[in-house]
Amino acid sequence: MPPTDLVTLDVTRDIALLARRHRAARSVGMQVLNLIGGRAENLLERLPDPVKDQLETATSRALEGALRAAQASRGVIPDQKGWLNTAVTTAMGAMGGAGGLPTALAELPVTTTVLLRAIQGIAAEHGFDPDDPAIQKEALSVFASAGPLADDDGADMAFLTARITLTGATVHGLIARIAPRLATVLGQKLAAQTVPIIGAAAGAATNYAYTSYYQSMAHVHFGLFALAERSGQTREALGAALRDEIRRQIR
């Protein structure tokens, strides 16, 4: 078999694997919605208006702080296994949910930092340097995906080929673009953690879902990035192939 055919087969196989990982990323999120007995689009209505009004600002601050803390910790704390990241954030989610909205708000930036460190660790796992400013922006862009409680697969696709919009963007400018979408996603998390009676359980389940989701999406993002480098194909072309494969698997 000619080498070009082998490359094509490898790319097709890897795209299929990434598509399966992408589709599986939200399965836990749907279980969370079943636990709290709600719909994702209605969760934000459970939050007080002052909290909703400040979500975007709080999200921007959380991302800025997470980036500083994640980078500072890299020389001190090694990257952890995915299961350990999930265990840590699950425990934090339980504590955050146990005290209602005040403790959930206090827990939010800490969880965001752990998630970003996990995403950076996955970048390193795929052969990229998390200290490279371009990879730092790539890691942040994973937060542009729609979140584990969304049901629109197409909403996740923009971040997969985000290299075009990353070009020349400052980290601060990228955070400003990501914050509005992530604010909605994190608002859903906060609302789930404040469900009466089961707040701690909902907080644990929500953080488990969010950590599983963003780690899976990081594997898809950086897996696609690495595949582009190995195959010589553009990320845009591979992103289009991934979209097609996800649709094919859904059918």
Side-chain angles (χ1 to χ4, degrees):
M1 184 179 292
T4 52
D5 290 342
L6 285 173
V7 170
T8 302
L9 283 175
D10 286 344
V11 169
T12 302
R13 179 203 63 197
D14 289 351
I15 287 290
L17 291 172
L18 290 173
R20 282 198 288 274
R21 190 156 208 163
H22 183 278
R23 288 188 58 217
R26 279 207 194 89
S27 60
V28 181
M30 296 304 101
Q31 294 171 27
V32 170
L33 289 178
N34 291 334
L35 170 69
I36 63 179
R39 295 173 59 84
E41 58 267 29
N42 297 332
L43 280 175
L44 288 178
E45 297 308 313
R46 300 183 181 187
L47 293 176
D49 287 339
V51 174
K52 286 188 285 188
D53 293 342
Q54 293 299 313
L55 264 179
E56 190 172 324
T57 301
T59 300
S60 294
R61 284 200 300 263
L63 283 173
E64 297 273 9
L67 184 61
R68 289 193 299 270
Q71 289 306 117
S73 69
R74 292 205 62 81
V76 181
I77 303 171
D79 292 322
Q80 304 299 319
K81 298 291 187 182
W83 68 264
L84 185 56
N85 292 322
T86 304
V88 168
T89 58
T90 299
M92 290 193 300
M95 291 186 287
L101 188 57
T103 53
L105 283 167
E107 170 257 323
L108 187 63
V110 183
T111 294
T112 304
T113 300
V114 175
L115 289 176
L116 184 56
R117 262 305 303 267
I119 292 167
Q120 291 177 343
I122 290 165
E125 192 177 323
H126 284 275
F128 301 105
D129 179 7
D131 291 324
D132 181 340
I135 299 305
Q136 291 176 20
K137 290 190 284 187
E138 294 283 354
L140 279 170
S141 75
V142 174
F143 285 121
S145 53
L149 305 188
D151 58 5
D152 179 10
D153 278 340
D156 283 328
M157 287 298 144
F159 90 95
L160 291 171
T161 53
R163 182 174 56 84
I164 296 174
T165 59
L166 290 176
T167 303
T170 65
V171 167
H172 185 76
L174 182 61
I175 286 174
R177 291 210 291 270
I178 292 171
R181 170 175 279 189
L182 186 59
T184 298
V185 174
L186 295 182
Q188 293 168 346
K189 168 181 142 53
L190 288 173
Q193 287 178 287
T194 60
V195 174
I197 302 175
I198 62 167
T206 302
N207 272 24
Y208 180 88
Y210 274 59
T211 309
S212 300
Y213 172 81
Y214 281 115
Q215 288 185 125
S216 291
M217 298 311 282
H219 276 293
V220 173
H221 185 69
F222 288 105
L224 197 72
F225 196 175
L227 183 57
E229 292 197 344
R230 290 200 311 273
S231 68
Q233 298 187 36
T234 67
R235 287 169 66 183
E236 294 76 21
L238 292 173
L242 180 58
R243 282 193 294 271
D244 291 342
E245 178 62 19
I246 289 170
R247 294 189 187 104
R248 188 193 69 77
Q249 290 185 12
I250 290 173
R251 291 198 301 266

